[in-house]
């Protein structure tokens, strides 16, 4: 009995302690303000770089400037006789611009140049990506949704007359389409405008232009009107400033990236559906993405954009350098260059075709892969968009069940008996089974017209691309996944590389040759994550050359005939006097693409002399490394590739 009573007392004590513990935990839960901690890129960065205030020691082999290009300086001021435009012009030019961020920026530069050429007054152009969406914020007009109108007009007051809208007596005639409208090609020559459009402009006083191909003027202009090339630079790099809200948030994002005390690299994949369809890169993807690319390619063939056949060998196009580099390949290239796994990489681009699945290998190699959603809160992004009209909620509802009387009525109207049973109804596809914007492909063979939600998202992408553009220009290094595609359309990476070349030519901007990179990966395709040591040296040699004059000249030969803004040399730059003699490089038309820059004014040379002198000692070690690497690899890359294949057996696979 005594033993049983002791057990009862022990059990009672245990219950009392348990009850007290529960009461204590419940009270702590009630009065505690602690929230659950979720993963964020900022927390990951703070874990990788805990000592923010410690002095930053940059590895010059990875983040240093390109010494051979330090003599190039931005200088787009007029150099010949350049009178201020007269108020009495030949008429007004209004334009509608179709396309994304890249086409808009390039088209505006061409419009200003044409207005100056024809002595016309330019009406602020309409950006159709914003005007087509009726639900965007009422605070902004078409042009002001992306750019600062006041800055645009004030910066170009000595170049061209610009007004916000047509005079009142001409607006009604425009609405009734009484004025001639042209749809010029992106390669239209100045003679086309002087002979075809100038006569109509003088006669009707108003001419409309519809621009769909990302430009309306040829890239390389005759030497006699070289001042118009400098005008393009003044428009792109000075007059076209984003509206204040975009600039403020963009600067904040750059400050947040630099607050970790480490340099960062910006990477733009260039995986756009239209580009992939144009070059026939469908087989590089899987599942529904291949079908979507082929559908778009068939559309382009019907529209006459592509003259090639529908089904092509995507792997052959990849070997020719026509397809973008996959994010996994970019990660391996950066790792071969020596970038550590903690390197901060900013992912630019408002849309990556293929989704997050393609980024998984890159995130595995570089955990600090961030984008705008990692650096900005939802409130900051919504404030940038502004107050918008809410869209109706797209909530799926089951059909209303039929009443007993309706069922009897259908039975009576069904016809004579006996009759065969009807086929079973098709299964309804629910919204949760659709995988994003391409869910239409599960229901129909024809792509539907953009919904109001799609139009709003297209307008939002202009803002996201603007933020990415600011960060990519300011980044310590930039790596393009795709540029110089040969289609004639401007691309995001090309514009970024052009502005980085204009503002600071010595900035670390990679210009890889995708054909060479494809050949390198074909060598080590079965051993990509553990390549041979000589393979790594070959990658370093190629990418280091792409940073310097050799890569710049190769890019100029490919990109400038299609887009002047991607290579604004030599017209928009000057060169500080130096003992080095730069070899001039000419294009197919005989124009000098590099090396013909004028000498900078004296005030610019005195300001840069000290900086160049200080960099001589700092870059000496890097020059020795390059020389040593070239001696080991040999001067000819083709011979190097052959020797790599021949001596494969002699290498240690664990190197």
């Amino acid at each position: 009995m005594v033993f049983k009573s002791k057990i009862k007392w022990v059990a009672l004590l245990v219950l009392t302690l348990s009850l007290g513990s529960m009461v204590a935990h419940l009270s702590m839960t009630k009065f505690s303000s602690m929230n659950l901690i979720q993963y964020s890129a900022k927390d990951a960065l703070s874990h990788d770089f805990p000592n923010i205030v410690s002095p930053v020691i940059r590895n010059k082999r990875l983040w240093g400037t390109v010494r051979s290009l330090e003599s190039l300086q931005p200088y787009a001021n007029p150099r010949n006789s350049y009178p201020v435009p007269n108020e009495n012009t030949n008429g007004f030019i209004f334009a509608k611009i179709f396309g994304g961020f890249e086409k808009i920026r390039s088209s505006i530069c061409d419009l200003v140049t044409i207005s100056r050429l024809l002595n016309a007054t330019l009406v602020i152009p309409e950006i159709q990506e914003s005007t087509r969406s009726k639900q965007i914020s009422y605070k902004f007009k078409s042009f002001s949704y992306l750019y600062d109108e006041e800055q645009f007009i004030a910066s170009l007051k000595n170049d061209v007359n610009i007004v916000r809208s047509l005079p009142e007596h001409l607006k009604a005639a425009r609405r009734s389409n009484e004025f001639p409208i042209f749809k010029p090609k992106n390669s239209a020559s100045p003679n086309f405008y002087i002979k075809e459009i100038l006569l109509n402009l003088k006669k009707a006083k108003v001419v409309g232009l519809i621009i769909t191909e990302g430009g309306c003027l040829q890239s390389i202009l005759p030497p006699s009107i070289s001042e118009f090339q400098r005008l393009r630079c003044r428009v792109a790099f000075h007059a076209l400033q984003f509206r204040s809200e975009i600039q403020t948030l963009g600067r904040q994002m750059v400050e947040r990236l630099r607050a970790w005390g480490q340099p960062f690299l910006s990477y733009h994949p260039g995986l756009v559906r239209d580009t992939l369809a144009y070059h026939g890169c469908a087989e590089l993807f899987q599942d529904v993405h291949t079908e979507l690319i082929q559908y778009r390619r068939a559309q382009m063939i019907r529209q006459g954009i592509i003259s090639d056949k529908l089904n092509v060998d995507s792997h052959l196009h990849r070997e020719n350098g026509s397809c973008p580099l996959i994010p996994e390949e970019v990660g391996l290239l950066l790792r071969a260059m020596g970038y550590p796994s903690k390197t901060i990489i900013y992912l630019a681009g408002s849309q990556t075709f293929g989704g997050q699945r393609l980024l998984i290998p890159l995130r595995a190699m570089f955990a600090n892969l961030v984008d705008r959603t990692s650096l900005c809160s939802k409130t900051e992004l919504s404030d940038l968009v502004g107050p918008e009209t809410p869209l109706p909620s797209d909530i799926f509802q089951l059909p209303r069940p039929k009443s007993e009387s309706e069922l009897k009525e259908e039975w009576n109207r069904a016809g004579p008996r006996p009759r065969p049973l009807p086929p079973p109804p098709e299964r309804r596809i629910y919204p949760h089974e659709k995988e994003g914007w391409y869910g239409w492909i599960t229901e129909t063979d024809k792509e539907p017209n953009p919904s109001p939600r799609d139009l709003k998202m297209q307008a939002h992408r202009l803002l996201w691309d603007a933020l990415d553009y600011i960060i990519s220009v300011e980044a310590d290094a930039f790596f393009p996944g795709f540029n110089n595609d040969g289609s004639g359309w401007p691309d995001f990476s090309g514009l970024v590389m052009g502005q980085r070349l204009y503002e600071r030519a010595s900035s670390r901007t990679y210009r890889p040759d995708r054909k060479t990179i494809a050949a390198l990966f074909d060598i080590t395709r079965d051993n990509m994550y553990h390549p041979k040591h000589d393979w790594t040296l070959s990658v370093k040699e190629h990418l280091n050359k792409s940073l310097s004059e050799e890569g710049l000249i190769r890019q100029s030969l490919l990109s400038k005939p299609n887009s002047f803004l991607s290579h604004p040399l030599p017209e928009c730059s000057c060169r500080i006097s130096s003992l080095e003699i730069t070899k001039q490089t000419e294009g197919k038309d005989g124009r000098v693409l590099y090396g013909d820059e004028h000498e900078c004014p004296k005030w610019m040379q005195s300001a840069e002399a000290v900086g160049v002198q200080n960099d001589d000692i700092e870059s000496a070690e890097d020059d020795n490394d390059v020389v040593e690497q070239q001696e080991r690899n040999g001067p000819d890359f083709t011979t190097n590739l052959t020797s790599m294949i021949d001596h494969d057996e002699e290498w240690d696979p664990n190197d």
Side-chain angles (χ1 to χ4, degrees):
M1 293 292 295
V2 176
F3 180 72
K4 291 183 179 180
S5 62
K6 287 183 178 181
I7 294 178
K8 291 180 180 179
W9 281 107
V10 171
L12 181 62
L13 179 61
V14 171
L15 290 174
T16 304
L17 292 175
S18 301
L19 181 61
S21 176
M22 291 178 60
V23 172
H25 281 81
L26 290 174
S27 60
M28 290 175 61
T29 305
K30 180 177 181 181
F31 297 104
S32 175
S33 59
M34 183 182 299
N35 295 325
L36 292 176
I37 300 177
Q38 296 182 353
Y39 170 81
S40 67
K42 291 183 179 180
D43 297 334
L45 289 174
S46 61
H47 178 268
D48 286 345
F49 308 110
N51 300 322
I52 298 178
V53 295
S54 61
V56 179
I57 302 176
R58 293 196 176 198
N59 186 344
K60 293 187 179 299
R61 300 176 185 176
L62 300 178
W63 305 105
T65 58
V66 182
R67 184 167 174 261
S68 60
L69 301 177
E70 288 181 346
S71 60
L72 290 175
Q73 300 297 322
Y75 190 60
N77 295 343
R79 300 170 195 176
N80 301 318
S81 176
Y82 195 78
V84 177
N86 194 340
E87 294 183 359
N88 298 323
T89 61
N90 293 325
F92 296 88
I93 292 179
F94 69 90
K96 295 182 178 181
I97 302 176
F98 291 83
F101 176 86
E102 308 86 11
K103 292 185 177 181
I104 292 170
R105 194 171 184 87
S106 180
S107 299
I108 293 174
C109 298
D110 288 354
L111 280 174
V112 174
T113 306
I114 291 168
S115 299
R116 173 78 187 192
L117 178 67
L118 301 181
N119 187 26
T121 299
L122 176 64
V123 181
I124 293 288
E126 296 180 2
I127 299 175
Q128 295 302 303
E129 290 294 318
S130 59
T131 56
R132 290 171 63 192
S133 178
K134 306 301 181 182
Q135 285 81 20
I136 67 170
S137 177
Y138 57 87
K139 291 176 57 179
F140 313 107
K141 294 182 180 179
S142 173
F143 186 87
S144 62
Y145 186 72
L146 190 58
Y147 295 109
D148 187 346
E149 284 188 2
E150 297 290 343
Q151 170 71 18
F152 183 69
I153 296 174
S155 298
L156 299 174
K157 63 181 180 180
N158 295 327
D159 295 296
V160 70
N161 292 323
I162 302 176
V163 295
R164 288 182 171 81
S165 62
L166 287 172
E168 293 295 333
H169 66 281
L170 296 175
K171 289 182 179 179
R174 178 190 172 180
R175 285 192 291 266
S176 57
N177 295 327
E178 297 180 7
F179 300 130
I181 298 178
F182 298 88
K183 188 177 179 181
K185 296 183 178 180
N186 61 348
S187 58
S189 65
N191 291 332
F192 166 78
Y193 291 96
I194 294 175
K195 295 180 180 179
E196 299 291 334
I197 295 183
L198 183 58
L199 296 176
N200 290 278
L201 179 64
K202 291 180 177 180
K203 181 179 179 181
K205 294 300 179 184
V206 180
V207 165
L209 299 178
I210 297 178
I211 306 175
T212 60
E213 298 182 2
C216 51
L217 186 63
Q218 68 184 34
S219 175
I220 301 179
L221 299 177
S224 59
I225 54 175
S226 59
E227 288 296 339
F228 289 90
Q229 297 286 48
R230 282 185 275 275
L231 175 57
R232 277 173 163 172
C233 293
R234 292 196 293 275
V235 177
F237 308 136
H238 298 281
L240 276 181
Q241 301 293 330
F242 300 114
R243 58 179 166 94
S244 58
E245 295 88 349
I246 299 176
Q247 293 191 54
T248 301
L249 184 56
R251 286 193 294 266
Q252 290 177 356
M253 294 170 67
V254 174
E255 291 173 359
R256 291 168 186 172
L257 285 168
R258 298 206 184 281
W260 305 109
Q262 299 291 330
F264 70 94
L265 179 143
S266 178
Y267 160 58
H268 186 268
L271 295 170
V272 183
R273 183 186 176 198
D274 284 358
T275 304
L276 295 169
Y278 183 89
H279 293 285
C281 305
E283 295 178 5
L284 302 182
F285 295 82
Q286 297 177 358
D287 303 329
V288 71
H289 297 92
T290 298
E291 189 173 350
L292 288 166
I293 294 173
Q294 287 296 87
Y295 182 89
R296 181 64 182 132
R297 182 173 175 84
Q299 282 185 322
M300 290 182 170
I301 294 175
R302 289 194 297 268
Q303 296 170 1
I305 301 175
I306 301 176
S307 58
D308 199 1
K309 56 184 179 180
L310 177 62
N311 296 316
V312 295
D313 188 351
S314 299
H315 298 282
L316 181 60
H317 283 211
R318 171 192 160 275
E319 293 177 358
N320 292 334
S322 300
C323 294
L325 297 175
I326 303 301
E328 180 184 13
E329 297 176 339
V330 174
L332 293 171
L333 293 175
L334 295 177
R335 201 168 73 168
M337 281 293 296
Y339 286 96
S341 59
K342 294 183 178 181
T343 302
I344 303 174
I345 299 179
Y346 182 83
L347 181 67
S350 59
Q351 183 181 6
T352 300
F353 192 79
Q356 294 294 319
R357 180 186 55 136
L358 288 180
L359 300 174
I360 291 176
L362 181 61
R363 290 187 186 276
M365 287 181 273
F366 297 94
N368 294 326
L369 182 66
V370 299
D371 56 11
R372 66 178 183 279
T373 59
S374 307
L375 300 176
C376 302
S377 64
K378 291 184 178 180
T379 303
E380 289 175 326
L381 296 177
S382 62
D383 291 343
L384 182 66
V385 170
E388 294 184 331
T389 305
L391 291 171
S393 57
D394 186 15
I395 301 177
F396 173 74
Q397 295 180 352
L398 291 171
R400 182 183 63 85
K402 297 180 180 179
S403 63
E404 186 177 354
S405 59
E406 291 175 339
L407 293 174
K408 289 182 178 180
E409 185 177 357
E410 288 185 3
W411 178 262
N412 294 331
R413 293 200 311 264
R417 298 162 181 80
R419 50 181 176 270
L421 293 175
E426 296 182 358
R427 188 181 73 84
R428 178 69 180 264
I429 298 177
Y430 295 86
H432 68 270
E433 297 179 279
K434 300 181 182 180
E435 301 184 39
W437 59 269
Y438 45 80
W440 58 269
I441 205 167
T442 61
E443 293 183 339
T444 177
D445 294 333
K446 184 178 181 181
E447 186 171 359
N449 294 325
S451 65
R453 188 176 300 275
D454 295 333
L455 294 175
K456 180 184 284 190
M457 293 304 299
Q458 290 175 9
H460 288 178
R461 290 193 190 104
L462 299 180
L463 306 180
W464 313 149
D465 283 335
L467 293 176
D468 294 343
Y469 190 84
I470 294 173
I471 296 177
S472 298
V473 171
E474 295 293 330
D476 298 280
F478 179 74
F479 197 101
F482 192 62
N483 69 304
N484 301 333
D485 61 342
S487 64
W489 304 329
D491 58 88
F492 185 93
S493 294
L495 295 182
V496 170
M497 296 165 72
Q499 181 147 356
R500 289 172 65 91
L501 177 61
Y502 172 79
E503 292 184 357
R504 193 182 181 194
S506 60
S507 61
R508 200 169 188 86
T509 305
Y510 291 96
R511 306 173 184 92
D513 184 355
R514 292 187 300 277
K515 185 175 181 179
T516 302
I517 295 298
L520 283 169
F521 276 113
D522 287 342
I523 293 174
T524 185
R525 181 62 61 184
D526 297 331
N527 206 19
M528 292 174 59
Y529 284 86
H530 299 283
K532 310 292 192 289
H533 182 63
D534 281 12
W535 185 89
T536 302
L537 292 178
S538 298
V539 171
K540 288 183 178 180
E541 179 187 5
H542 174 71
L543 293 181
N544 283 327
K545 285 183 178 180
S546 73
L547 293 168
S548 59
E549 291 181 337
E550 181 176 334
L552 184 62
I553 292 173
R554 187 187 61 82
Q555 181 199 354
S556 67
L557 295 172
L558 295 174
S559 62
K560 188 167 183 177
N562 294 323
S563 174
F564 171 74
L565 296 180
S566 62
H567 186 80
L569 297 181
E571 294 87 348
C572 299
S573 294
C574 62
R575 189 178 293 273
I576 295 177
S577 57
S578 175
L579 296 177
E580 299 178 1
I581 300 176
T582 303
K583 182 180 178 181
Q584 294 184 355
T585 302
E586 295 184 357
K588 295 180 180 180
D589 57 351
R591 286 289 310 277
V592 178
L593 301 178
Y594 177 76
D596 193 30
E597 295 81 14
H598 291 269
E599 186 175 345
C600 293
K602 293 182 179 179
W603 62 269
M604 293 182 66
Q605 298 195 30
S606 60
E608 294 292 334
V610 179
V612 173
Q613 185 177 2
N614 293 337
D615 289 340
D616 288 342
I617 301 176
E618 296 177 356
S619 58
E621 182 181 352
D622 296 338
D623 293 342
N624 294 335
D625 295 336
V626 174
V627 172
E628 180 183 355
Q629 181 174 307
Q630 290 178 352
E631 290 177 354
R632 295 186 63 179
N633 293 329
D636 188 6
F637 182 76
T638 305
T639 307
N640 191 19
L641 286 179
T642 306
S643 64
M644 289 171 62
I645 298 174
D646 295 340
H647 297 82
D648 235 5
E649 301 80 14
E650 302 178 6
W651 296 341
D652 183 2
N654 296 322
D655 282 344

